């Protein structure tokens, strides 16, 4: 009944990026239930000598791509897509996290899903089933700093198959970018454009 925890230190971080809840730091949780009690027993964190994974907590992820959106005053870096063994094409607990609320001067990148069974319609992660041959991810970018240049940075994580072709499409500009060759895309968001729409096509 809860999704999280999240924390904010100038940018939002989601649960897989938070291996330990630290004293005196603020955390938030998302819930659509009003009939729950939350109990957090204090347990001493164990030191781990294992090599840290790029996506801690995502043990079943087969491959992943991180997307960072930033301008001169803000950054949104907790965005991930990919395939996981136990994920489906619908909302999956533990894989698909709700987009956290905006704070101050912000830039927000999210995956819209009015078709999923939560009241939330914006998500910061979107993992899919491994059984498909191809995928299309829709995402949107918005910011409250008018007339700013925004950069999208794409980072391959874990084991992205070398045969997997990925293309970014800027819907408004009608531009297609091969993400195998270009890992950065810049565009200008004017005050007239509330939201910019994109698609990522991944497949053979």
């Amino acid at each position: 009944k809860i999704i999280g925890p999240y924390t904010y230190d100038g940018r939002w971080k989601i649960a897989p990026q938070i291996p330990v809840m630290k004293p005196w730091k603020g955390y938030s949780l998302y819930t659509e239930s009003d009939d729950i009690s939350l109990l957090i027993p204090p347990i001493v964190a164990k030191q781990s000598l294992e090599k840290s994974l790029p996506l801690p907590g995502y043990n079943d992820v087969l491959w992943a791509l991180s997307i960072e959106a930033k301008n001169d005053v803000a950054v949104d870096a907790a965005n991930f897509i990919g395939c996981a063994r136990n994920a489906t094409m619908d909302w999956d607990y533990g894989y698909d996290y709700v987009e956290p609320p905006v704070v101050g001067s912000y830039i927000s990148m999210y995956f819209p899903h009015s078709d999923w069974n939560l009241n939330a319609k914006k998500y910061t992660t979107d993992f899919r089933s491994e059984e498909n041959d191809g995928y299309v991810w829709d995402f949107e970018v918005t910011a409250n700093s008018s007339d700013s240049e925004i950069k999208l940075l794409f980072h391959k994580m874990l084991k992205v198959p070398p045969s997997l072709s990925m293309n970014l499409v800027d819907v408004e500009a009608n531009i297609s970018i091969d993400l195998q060759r270009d890992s950065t895309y810049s565009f200008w968001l004017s005050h007239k454009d509330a939201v910019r729409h994109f698609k990522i096509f991944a497949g053979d």
Side-chain angles (χ1 to χ4, degrees), residues 4-36:
Y6 298 78
T7 190
Y8 183 82
D9 59 1
R11 65 179 69 183
W12 281 105
K13 293 181 179 178
I14 59 175
Q17 299 171 309
I18 307 171
V20 176
M21 295 178 70
K22 298 180 180 179
W24 311 113
K25 290 200 69 173
Y27 297 90
S28 63
L29 300 160
Y30 178 86
T31 182
E32 297 186 354
S33 302
D34 58 3
D35 61 344
I36 62 172

Side-chain angles (χ1 to χ4, degrees), residues 25 73 97 106:
K25 290 200 69 173
V73 296
Y97 284 85
Y106 70 85

Side-chain angles (χ1 to χ4, degrees), residues 51-64:
K51 184 179 179 181
S52 60
L53 296 174
L55 284 171
Y58 279 128
N59 296 324
D60 295 325
V61 170
L62 300 172
W63 65 266

Side-chain angles (χ1 to χ4, degrees), residues 70-74 145 148-150:
K70 66 179 184 178
N71 57 16
D72 291 337
V73 296
S145 53
S148 64
E149 184 184 40
I150 294 176

